Amino acid sequence: MKIGDKIPEVLGIDANGREIKAADFAGKKLVLYFYPKDNTPGCTAEACSFRDHYDTMREAGYEIVGVSKDSAASHTKFADKFQLPFTLIADTETTLNQAFGVWQKKKMAGREYMGTVRTTFIINEEGIVEDIITKVDTKNSATQILNNK
């Protein structure tokens, strides 16, 4: 996905087994953020930033959806543990990760593997990608978006 692209209609399945569609967010701005793994320090900081600024984000017209390849059960535990008020998509087959181009080869400790590159997509009310944040400030991810609008 790049700026100007329309997002897919079917985004995936949330932690409750409900299908999440682009149409669910028609008329609203959508923050679709991709993160590597539930319960890791950076991913937790990012989710908690969105949680802590959730009301402000909604007042500014944004809905928030997080995406990782973790299972629905993992998402449920993660959301419960940190009281996350927004949807988490369980992209276990990496379908959405691949559609958005964030499933990429990564390197850590000298080994290469495929994984999610932390990326935030800002999508307008018509389902068009308006902005892409690749240098995500995990502790300040919400204010990073709010200060850029």
Side-chain angles (χ1 to χ4, degrees), residues 40-112:
T40 55
C43 299
T44 300
E46 184 175 18
C48 289
S49 174
F50 286 128
R51 176 202 64 201
D52 294 347
H53 294 87
Y54 186 67
D55 291 338
T56 307
M57 298 282 297
R58 303 251 347 244
E59 286 166 17
Y62 293 101
E63 290 294 332
I64 301 163
V65 174
V67 182
S68 83
K69 70 180 288 314
D70 293 302
S71 68
S74 175
H75 280 343
T76 298
K77 287 179 192 164
F78 184 51
D80 288 349
K81 182 176 180 180
F82 295 101
Q83 292 92 45
L84 304 179
F86 47 83
T87 299
L88 297 176
I89 291 176
D91 189 31
T92 56
E93 303 296 318
T94 70
T95 307
L96 199 59
N97 273 263
Q98 291 180 52
F100 277 79
V102 300
W103 186 250
Q104 299 175 15
K105 193 176 289 185
K106 297 170 82 173
K107 283 185 183 182
M108 186 188 296
R111 70 176 191 100
E112 286 189 358

Side-chain angles (χ1 to χ4, degrees), residues 84-141:
L84 304 179
F86 47 83
T87 299
L88 297 176
I89 291 176
D91 189 31
T92 56
E93 303 296 318
T94 70
T95 307
L96 199 59
N97 273 263
Q98 291 180 52
F100 277 79
V102 300
W103 186 250
Q104 299 175 15
K105 193 176 289 185
K106 297 170 82 173
K107 283 185 183 182
M108 186 188 296
R111 70 176 191 100
E112 286 189 358
Y113 62 97
M114 293 301 288
T116 301
V117 175
R118 186 184 314 279
T119 310
T120 301
F121 292 83
I122 311 300
I123 297 144
N124 72 14
E125 296 85 347
E126 288 82 42
I128 307 295
V129 176
E130 207 168 68
D131 195 12
I132 302 170
I133 301 170
T134 55
K135 293 187 186 333
V136 176
D137 179 352
T138 56
K139 288 186 176 84
N140 301 296
S141 52

